[in-house]
Each structure stands twice: as structure tokens, then as C-alpha cells.
Amino acid sequence: MSPAQKRACLHHTAIKHATLKQHRVERTLSSRPTVVKRVAVKRVVYRGGQRHIVTSYRKVNFRPEHLSPGRAYGLHDGLPQALALRSQEALVVDENTAEVLYDKQSSMVRPIASISKLMTAMVSLDAHIPLTQTMEVTADDRDYEKGTGSRLSVGSRLNRADMLHIALMASENRAAAALSRYYPGGRPAFIAAMNRKARELGMNDTHFNDPTGLSSQNVSSARDLVKMIKAAYQYPLIREFSTDKSYDVNTGRKNLHYVSTDHLVGHPGWQIGLQKTGFINEAGQCLVMQAVVHGRPVIIVLLDSTGRYSRFADAARVRQWLLDGGGSAALRTAGNQPAATTTQVANVQRAL
């Protein structure tokens, strides 16, 4: 286990046992109303040599708005909220001067979900493989960890540029998985290259376990993500593809229309040079971007927000705050976690 993974476990294990708040978490979870939802379950069957999709329906119980581990274990209780952000970790940096304008828990190591795809894109482009290369989605690109679906069915064929485009703009997981599989040496070599590039960029809090971000073992800190965004911004294709509002692809079977997962792209008043969204339950709602606000290029990192649109509202709050002259020393910091002690890390290692 890498040091970054150990630090991530520290925030989900050591703090849990140190604060003895598990009983409160259980009460919170159990008090949420259970909702009965009717969901469709599709499966493929073959009859007489013909392929058919059979749809059945079943009722499931669920509790909306799943708590991330950081919220469930009270990691953020009592922190000052200078901007009243719903994101539990946030960092705003002047891109030109590297001045920290706003800092909230920026050293916390946590899952980063599909923000990982920025590193996936850089490693793919660093390989200098022709973007015209045709790639086919196979069963190896399916999500066997969380069971999420995809609009790219097995057998879909796209060129490398299109795969990269929809992975960045629409966060298409199978496209990212296919990019890693077509890397020289296959997916294991690709993931090794992701971690190698993270070390080269000085991202010491970061570890990658898969190319999509579906794995909760893909972890980083807001401070490290600023370094990754700066590096990714140097790639013209990443800037172009991540900030496209919509894109059409032909899979060889049908045409698919994709739209950006970032609702701020193309929004009046926003000048976004690069962006990426992310979400899994363990990470919460995440958003990173490079944007120009009032003539000043800034990097904004927002992690572990709740509610589908709250990360975009947080970004709007940050933008307005900057327009109003925010960034003074009095408002710059909204709480930071102290570094893990050797004893705490050892406790986490024993717990694992």
C-alpha cells in the first residue's frame, strides 16, 4: 500500500476510532427515510439465434444522498465556512503567481473519482500513439467494481481521439478503460505510468488504482490536484476536449450524442480553460477547473460536495467571491487538517 493510500485510510479509520462518533453516524443513516423505487433490470437473451433484450422490473429500497466517509465520520464538523461552501475540501490558487487565495482542508487525502481521467488523458497522449487508431470496447472495459452502465456497448469501435474526447467531456468510463487497455503493455503498464507521472509532478499524496476513477483507491489531495491541473493545461487537446459542450460519435453500430457533465461549460460569464467532474459515493461530488475570473487565471478544486448541482453552485460562489475582491488573508483559510503522525499511520496499517 502506497503512502497516499495509507493517508487516505487515516482519515476514514483513525479519526473514526479517535472521535468515537460511529454511534452518531448510525443514527443519522438509520433516520433517513427509506424510499421504495421501481427500477428496470435489463438482460440479453438469445432465442433462435437472435439477440433480444428482456426488461423486468423490481422494487428496491434506497436512501437518497449517500454520505461520503468524510461526512459520515464527522471529519468536517465545526470547520469555519468563509464561503459557506458545501464542498468539504476546496482550494483556489492564482495560476500565475501560485498564491493560495482560499484553502479549506486542502491537505486531506481522499478518493477523487473521475478527476482521475485528467491523468488518464495525459498518459494516453504521452504515449504518442496516433489518434486515428481504431479501438474496440470489449468486456474487459466493463465496470465490474460498481456495476455502472455505459452507452458504449461491447463491440463499439471509435478512434483514439473520440475515446479521449468523450472520456474527458462526458466522463465515459468505458472509453477511459479502453484507452488504458490499448496502451503498450496493457492496463497494468498504463496504471504504472499514471503513478509514475504523479511522482514526476510531485503529487506525493496521490495514488491511482484504475484509469476511470471508479475505484475508491484512486486518491489525492486538493493540493496535489492543483499540480495535476497545471500539468494537464499544457495539453491543447485536453483543454479542447474537456471544455467542449457536446459531441457526436459513431460507434460503428449507431450514432451517440454526448454532452458535458459540467453544467458551467458554455455558461455566460464563465471562461473555462479546462475542467473535469467526478462522482462516486466514496468521493462525493467533485469538480476541478482552470478558469479566468476578472482577467485572472485561477485553478479551482472542489471535493466532496453533496447534491447533484452543489459543486457548480460552489464554483459560482467562488467566482463571485473573487469578483468581489475575495482572497484576503483574513478569508483565505477555512481550516486545514494536521499531518498524520507516525503512530496514527501505524494504527491504520494494523487496522488494514
Side-chain angles (χ1 to χ4, degrees):
M1 177 170 288
S2 69
Q5 288 175 299
K6 293 173 184 175
R7 285 191 289 273
C9 290
L10 169 66
H11 293 292
H12 303 325
T13 305
I15 294 180
K16 169 186 172 182
H17 294 296
T19 58
L20 298 178
K21 289 185 177 179
Q22 178 62 32
H23 64 285
R24 191 187 69 177
V25 174
E26 292 171 351
R27 287 201 306 270
T28 301
L29 293 174
S30 62
S31 64
R32 268 192 234 141
T34 299
V35 181
V36 178
K37 185 177 182 180
R38 188 169 179 260
V39 298
V41 179
K42 296 184 178 181
R43 68 182 190 276
V44 177
V45 298
Y46 290 87
R47 296 171 182 164
Q50 297 294 319
R51 182 175 181 270
H52 301 273
I53 297 178
V54 177
T55 303
S56 59
Y57 295 89
R58 61 188 178 91
K59 293 181 179 180
V60 297
N61 295 331
F62 76 102
R63 292 189 179 98
E65 196 173 332
H66 181 88
L67 290 180
S68 70
R71 292 175 180 272
Y73 296 129
L75 268 61
H76 319 294
D77 290 356
L79 289 179
Q81 301 282 332
L83 276 172
L85 299 182
R86 295 191 67 179
S87 300
Q88 297 307 302
E89 292 84 43
L91 187 60
V92 183
V93 176
D94 186 301
E95 186 180 13
N96 289 337
T97 66
E99 179 187 7
V100 174
L101 307 176
Y102 181 80
D103 185 333
K104 177 184 178 185
Q105 299 282 89
S106 66
S107 63
M108 177 174 287
V109 180
R110 60 171 304 99
I112 58 172
S114 287
I115 307 301
S116 307
K117 291 186 177 76
L118 288 176
M119 183 63 78
T120 298
M122 286 192 285
V123 170
S124 296
L125 292 171
D126 287 347
H128 301 293
I129 303 172
L131 294 175
T132 55
Q133 179 192 34
T134 299
M135 307 167 65
E136 182 175 352
V137 176
T138 72
D140 289 336
D141 302 320
R142 296 175 63 183
D143 171 21
Y144 293 101
E145 178 164 348
K146 290 184 165 56
T148 58
S150 170
R151 298 178 65 196
L152 282 183
S153 60
V154 172
S156 296
R157 295 171 62 86
L158 298 175
N159 64 38
R160 180 174 289 272
D162 284 348
M163 290 286 195
L164 188 61
H165 201 140
I166 60 178
L168 287 169
M169 183 198 77
S171 210
E172 175 57 73
N173 289 316
R174 288 186 187 175
L179 286 167
S180 70
R181 188 168 44 79
Y182 274 82
Y183 186 81
R187 189 166 294 154
F190 188 90
I191 295 171
M194 293 176 74
N195 287 302
R196 184 165 58 251
K197 189 169 185 70
R199 292 193 297 271
E200 291 170 357
L201 294 175
M203 299 172 64
N204 298 321
D205 292 333
T206 302
H207 178 81
F208 295 100
N209 193 58
D210 88 324
T212 66
L214 288 168
S215 171
S216 61
Q217 297 302 308
N218 282 22
V219 298
S220 188
S221 65
R223 292 180 183 180
D224 269 12
L225 291 181
V226 167
K227 299 175 184 177
M228 187 168 75
I229 295 164
K230 285 183 177 180
Y233 190 76
Q234 304 308 310
Y235 295 73
L237 277 180
I238 296 180
R239 297 200 302 268
E240 176 188 346
F241 290 169
S242 72
T243 57
D244 206 357
K245 193 171 182 179
S246 64
Y247 190 65
D248 295 321
V249 297
N250 186 302
T251 68
R253 297 178 171 182
K254 58 183 176 180
N255 293 317
L256 295 177
H257 178 71
Y258 283 93
V259 296
S260 175
T261 54
D262 187 343
H263 298 281
L264 300 178
V265 170
H267 194 279
W270 277 99
Q271 187 179 344
I272 300 173
L274 176 148
Q275 68 79 33
K276 188 69 196 77
T277 62
F279 171 77
I280 55 174
N281 284 335
E282 297 90 338
Q285 302 282 350
C286 304
L287 172 66
V288 301
M289 67 171 67
Q290 187 275 359
V292 177
V293 180
H294 200 53
R296 175 197 238 178
V298 294
I299 293 174
I300 301 172
V301 178
L302 301 166
L303 305 176
D304 192 10
S305 186
T306 57
R308 184 176 179 183
Y309 301 105
S310 60
R311 52 189 165 176
F312 307 120
D314 277 355
R317 292 184 188 100
V318 169
R319 179 179 177 274
Q320 189 59 50
W321 179 72
L322 292 171
L323 290 173
D324 292 341
S328 64
L331 294 177
R332 194 170 295 158
T333 301
N336 267 312
Q337 285 291 102
T341 66
T342 304
T343 302
Q344 288 174 317
V345 172
N347 289 338
V348 172
Q349 288 177 301
R350 285 195 294 272
L352 296 173

